[in-house]
């Protein structure tokens, strides 16, 4: 996959692209990140990229010219015919794991990160394919949001994660939150690991994990259960959880 980022602050990405899984993914040539400062494409003699809004009002608006030209240059360089062109903004669709999975199947993503009050509407209408928000709060710019999306997409690319870090049982990719995990020691300051996890009985462990996962989802994100295809057995368990207001202690009492 090729990922281009158009930003006025390319240096913000250096630490993220040069650390951990993203760095390794690049070294393994699974992904290729490119940073472009779209100010370089401004034809304005002062290299301005923003201007006052027509109709008046507070704040500045990013002008279309540098952004359209920077996207054109990237498309020409890559000979990419149908890249996804993603505008980071609080008005976009709220980002989800499903969207990460969809984007991870593309060959080329171009992210546009804005600052100031907003983007000229023609960028939205005639250039971008997607508008993404990472949540209902306002950041100073789209860079941190783009990093979130790029991180979550990169880790889904084939071979980006080693076995130890594998993706399929993550929270959200299954539609449920992840079950609780423990490691050594089995008893830490009298806080004990649930017996079932030490039992070596894999069927019982799987059952415990499924129920623990359902319980955690019920307690923290009941909205996720509405779209989750529960088996009859799982429905019974959720019913019990509801009756006990989530108060069933796992593992022994399930
Ligand atoms: N730019 C500013 N705030 C944002 C948000 N919440 N998501 C995406 N881009 C943004």
């Amino acid at each position: 996959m090729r990922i281009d980022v158009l930003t006025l602050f390319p240096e913000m990405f250096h630490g993220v692209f040069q650390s951990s899984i993203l760095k390794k993914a690049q070294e393994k040539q699974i992904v290729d990140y490119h940073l472009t400062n779209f100010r370089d494409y401004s034809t304005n003699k002062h290299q301005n990229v923003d201007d006052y809004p027509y109709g008046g009002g507070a704040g500045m608006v990013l002008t279309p010219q540098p952004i359209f030209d920077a996207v054109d240059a990237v498309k020409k360089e890559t000979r990419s015919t149908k890249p996804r062109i993603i505008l980071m903004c609080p008005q976009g669709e709220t980002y989800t794991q499903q969207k990460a999975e969809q984007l991870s199947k593309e060959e080329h993503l171009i992210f546009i990160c804005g600052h100031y009050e907003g983007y000229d509407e023609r960028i939205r209408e005639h250039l971008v394919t997607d508008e993404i928000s990472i949540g209902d709060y306002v950041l100073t710019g789209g860079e941190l949001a783009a990093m979130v999306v790029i991180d979550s997409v990169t880790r889904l690319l084939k071979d980006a994660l080693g076995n130890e870090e594998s993706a399929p049982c993550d929270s959200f990719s299954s539609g449920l939150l992840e079950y609780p995990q423990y490691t050594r020691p089995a008893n830490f300051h009298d806080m004990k690991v649930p017996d079932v996890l030490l039992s070596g009985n894999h069927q019982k462990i799987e059952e415990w994990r499924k129920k623990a996962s359902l319980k955690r989802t019920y307690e923290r994100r009941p909205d996720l259960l509405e779209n989750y295809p529960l088996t009859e057995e799982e429905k019974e368990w959720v019913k019990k959880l509801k009756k006990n207001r989530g108060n069933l202690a796992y593992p022994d009492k399930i």
Side-chain angles (χ1 to χ4, degrees):
M1 174 184 278
R2 171 158 168 148
I3 296 182
D4 279 272
V5 182
L6 311 189
T7 168
L8 297 172
F9 301 95
E11 67 282 359
M12 283 179 75
F13 290 82
H14 294 165
V16 170
F17 289 167
Q18 281 161 27
S19 313
S20 185
I21 306 283
L22 275 60
K23 178 182 180 186
K24 279 195 223 152
Q26 215 169 188
E27 285 168 355
K28 291 193 248 179
Q29 302 189 348
I30 293 166
V31 63
D32 196 9
Y33 305 117
H34 287 257
L35 291 161
T36 298
N37 188 333
F38 60 83
R39 190 181 296 286
D40 296 343
Y41 288 86
S42 171
T43 52
N44 178 287
K45 73 171 181 244
H46 303 292
Q47 287 212 298
N48 287 342
V49 292
D50 58 335
D51 209 333
Y52 296 99
Y54 277 123
M60 301 294 273
V61 177
L62 284 170
T63 60
Q65 180 272 318
I67 293 181
F68 271 77
D69 284 358
V71 169
D72 258 357
V74 167
K75 277 185 172 169
K76 270 205 192 97
E77 186 203 328
T78 56
R79 300 208 189 107
S80 184
T81 47
K82 275 208 170 350
R84 290 283 275 264
I85 304 177
I86 303 162
L87 191 72
M88 303 310 301
C89 58
Q91 303 95 320
E93 66 173 288
T94 307
Y95 193 54
T96 59
Q97 188 65 23
Q98 280 72 31
K99 186 77 178 182
E101 279 160 20
Q102 189 194 97
L103 294 178
S104 73
K105 299 190 172 88
E106 297 285 339
E107 278 176 18
H108 188 193
L109 306 178
I110 303 177
F111 289 87
I112 302 172
C113 307
H115 271 252
Y116 313 111
E117 277 303 296
Y119 302 96
D120 184 287
E121 190 64 16
R122 289 163 290 190
I123 296 169
R124 285 205 161 83
E125 282 182 358
H126 301 289
L127 185 64
V128 309
T129 59
D130 301 78
E131 294 183 38
I132 295 181
S133 160
I134 62 161
D136 290 342
Y137 40 82
V138 181
L139 301 163
T140 54
E143 283 77 10
L144 289 168
M147 287 180 218
V148 167
V149 175
I150 291 167
D151 182 284
S152 58
V153 168
T154 301
R155 65 188 289 288
L156 292 176
L157 300 178
K158 190 172 172 304
D159 299 327
L161 298 182
N163 267 345
E164 333 65 84
E165 304 134 338
S166 79
C169 55
D170 292 337
S171 290
F172 301 114
S173 63
S174 72
L176 297 177
L177 299 186
E178 230 181 322
Y179 48 79
Q181 298 270 27
Y182 298 87
T183 186
R184 281 184 280 197
N187 184 347
F188 176 67
H189 297 333
D190 234 16
M191 295 178 273
K192 296 193 181 111
V193 173
D195 286 340
V196 63
L197 299 179
L198 311 174
S199 70
N201 182 334
H202 292 292
Q203 200 187 326
K204 279 237 148 58
I205 292 172
E206 276 319 297
E207 192 185 323
W208 182 90
R209 285 182 165 164
K210 186 61 185 254
K211 287 181 171 174
S213 190
L214 281 167
K215 181 171 187 236
R216 183 154 278 189
T217 310
Y218 172 74
E219 286 167 346
R220 300 185 181 192
R221 292 292 307 274
D223 57 301
L224 293 177
L225 284 182
E226 277 158 34
N227 300 318
Y228 186 80
L230 294 168
T231 63
E232 287 308 314
E233 209 184 340
E234 288 163 357
K235 276 185 199 154
E236 279 307 306
W237 170 245
V238 172
K239 233 192 249 168
K240 265 195 212 163
L241 277 172
K242 282 185 184 159
K243 216 161 105 198
N244 292 284
R245 287 212 215 89
N247 248 343
L248 287 177
Y250 32 74
D252 302 313
K253 296 195 182 92
I254 54 181

